[in-house]
Amino acid sequence: MRKLLAGLIGSSMLLLSACGSSGADEASGSGDNEKEQKVVKIGITQIVEHPSLDAAREGFMAALKDAGYEEGKNLELDYQNAQGDANNNMSIAQNLVTADNDLILAIATASAQSVVQSTKDIPVLFTAITDPISADLVKDLDKPGANVTGTSDTHPDAIKNTIASIKKFVPEAKTVGIIYNDGEANSIVNVENAKKALEENGLEYALTAISTSSEVKQAAESLVDRSDVFYIPKDNTVVSALESVITVANKEKIPTFVGESDSVERGTFSSYGFEYHDLGYKTGEMAIEILNGKKPSDIPVGFPDNLELIVNKDAAEKHGVELTDKLLEGAKVIGE
């Protein structure tokens, strides 16, 4: 009888042990599944819509997707655009901070400044920034410090090469007309660099400052009698209304050089530039590092890898620029 009872008890213990083991395995599996399905929240703020900034955002999202982050599965994106309004810009930054995002991407200088002012805890990435140090976003390019890092769109040779090409394509040019928003910190830096490059190439300049995109066409018209060519720097306000400049340039046959390649594709003449999609992708790769545990302070600020001359052949014809094979040597030609 004792042997029978002991056998029954032993069998019961084995059965309970097996059930307990199965329950533990299920719990463990559930934990792994929850980890896989953890939703990452990323807020994106962009100062204004225009192709370069849009391309940077698209590149950022492409990098996330390539790393396995997809909306509706394990990624929640909150994209907001300030439409060039300073009050909207600050409000968006504060909203993204209070929304408890895991990371915030700020596209363009003004957007980045507002986010950095609003949080010292949430990891912040920026892209399409002219000068991260003068904009008070980071203390050092190699060691950003704090919770902020990202990518700058300032290739050291871009402005210098673009200004030098004015003499190459329009040798008779003497004065360059520049339109810019003097309220944009990034634009002021770009204009100062352009002025230095113009002086080095023996060119004079005529400046017209604006504050809103609605003023761009009038500004372009005011420069017609004072300019042989136009130069449009990386200025978010002006570039968002670039078609206004193009209309005047085409009518008056004024070759228009620009600060980034996307504007050439929209109908201006030429630039030394790079793909903003690639810059955004690089920023997205930084986001992956941060989501995997790396601190923003340990990620150096990134810059464009490639720089190329891009020329719009249709714009050249409208602006009265005669192109030769020698002039186009090594250039990416569009509009053929």
Side-chain angles (χ1 to χ4, degrees):
M1 182 69 179
R2 287 181 179 179
K3 288 183 178 180
L4 177 61
L5 183 60
L8 289 171
I9 292 172
S11 297
S12 298
M13 293 297 290
L14 287 171
L15 179 61
L16 288 172
S17 175
C19 291
S21 175
S22 175
D25 288 343
E26 288 180 7
S28 175
S30 175
D32 290 341
N33 187 57
E34 287 177 2
K35 182 178 179 181
E36 290 175 4
Q37 295 303 315
K38 180 182 181 298
V39 177
V40 172
K41 294 179 63 178
I42 296 180
I44 301 177
T45 174
Q46 184 172 317
I47 188 62
V48 72
E49 289 180 344
H50 70 63
S52 294
L53 302 187
D54 294 343
R57 185 182 75 251
E58 291 162 3
F60 177 83
M61 293 188 295
L64 292 177
K65 185 175 182 180
D66 288 347
Y69 290 93
E70 294 186 45
E71 285 188 271
K73 292 184 178 180
N74 57 357
L75 175 64
E76 181 181 325
L77 285 179
D78 183 2
Y79 164 61
Q80 299 187 43
N81 193 298
Q83 301 299 336
D85 186 282
N87 292 328
N88 286 347
N89 183 46
M90 180 55 75
S91 178
I92 288 170
Q94 294 170 346
N95 289 340
L96 291 180
V97 169
T98 57
D100 195 30
N101 283 292
D102 296 299
L103 183 147
I104 297 174
L105 170 68
I107 305 175
T109 301
S111 295
Q113 288 174 323
S114 293
V115 175
V116 170
Q117 290 172 20
S118 301
T119 182
K120 302 299 179 187
D121 302 313
I122 300 173
V124 176
L125 282 171
F126 55 73
T127 191
I129 306 294
T130 297
D131 188 342
I133 293 179
S134 68
D136 293 325
L137 300 177
V138 299
K139 295 180 180 179
D140 186 273
L141 297 177
D142 292 325
K143 298 179 180 179
N147 61 319
V148 186
T149 190
T151 57
S152 168
D153 60 4
T154 302
H155 191 289
D157 296 326
I159 293 177
K160 181 171 60 176
N161 288 358
T162 300
I163 296 301
S165 73
I166 293 175
K167 297 292 290 184
K168 171 183 174 181
F169 287 107
V170 192
E172 71 277 10
K174 294 181 179 179
T175 304
V176 177
I178 300 176
I179 308 170
Y180 72 109
N181 182 351
D182 57 2
E184 285 190 31
N186 54 292
S187 188
I188 292 173
V189 172
N190 283 320
V191 170
E192 287 302 314
N193 289 333
K195 286 161 63 175
K196 292 177 183 177
L198 288 165
E199 291 171 354
E200 290 172 358
N201 284 274
L203 291 165
E204 297 179 354
Y205 49 83
L207 305 178
T208 296
I210 53 94
S211 56
T212 66
S213 58
S214 62
E215 300 171 3
V216 172
K217 185 176 181 181
Q218 184 178 356
E221 291 171 338
S222 74
L223 287 170
V224 168
D225 293 333
R226 298 184 288 150
S227 309
D228 300 306
V229 302
F230 288 158
Y231 174 70
I232 305 302
K234 286 180 292 185
D235 182 297
N236 296 310
T237 307
V238 180
V239 174
S240 67
L242 188 66
E243 281 66 30
S244 297
V245 179
I246 294 171
T247 297
V248 175
N250 290 347
K251 179 183 178 182
E252 304 294 340
K253 292 188 178 298
I254 299 178
T256 302
F257 295 76
V258 289
E260 28 71 50
S261 57
D262 287 318
S263 290
V264 181
E265 296 182 5
R266 289 167 71 182
T268 59
F269 172 56
S270 180
S271 176
Y272 271 88
F274 55 89
E275 297 294 334
Y276 271 79
H277 187 279
D278 295 342
L279 191 70
Y281 194 96
K282 178 178 287 190
T283 316
E285 290 177 324
M286 293 178 173
I288 304 305
E289 291 186 83
I290 293 170
L291 294 174
N292 287 335
K294 196 166 185 177
K295 295 180 180 180
S297 58
D298 294 331
I299 304 176
V301 172
F303 292 87
D305 292 322
N306 302 308
L307 190 66
E308 65 177 346
L309 172 65
I310 178 170
V311 176
N312 187 318
K313 199 170 184 178
D314 287 341
E317 185 176 348
K318 291 175 182 177
H319 297 168
V321 178
E322 185 177 345
L323 298 175
T324 64
D325 291 340
K326 185 176 182 179
L327 285 174
L328 294 176
E329 188 175 346
K332 174 183 177 181
V333 181
I334 63 173
E336 292 186 281

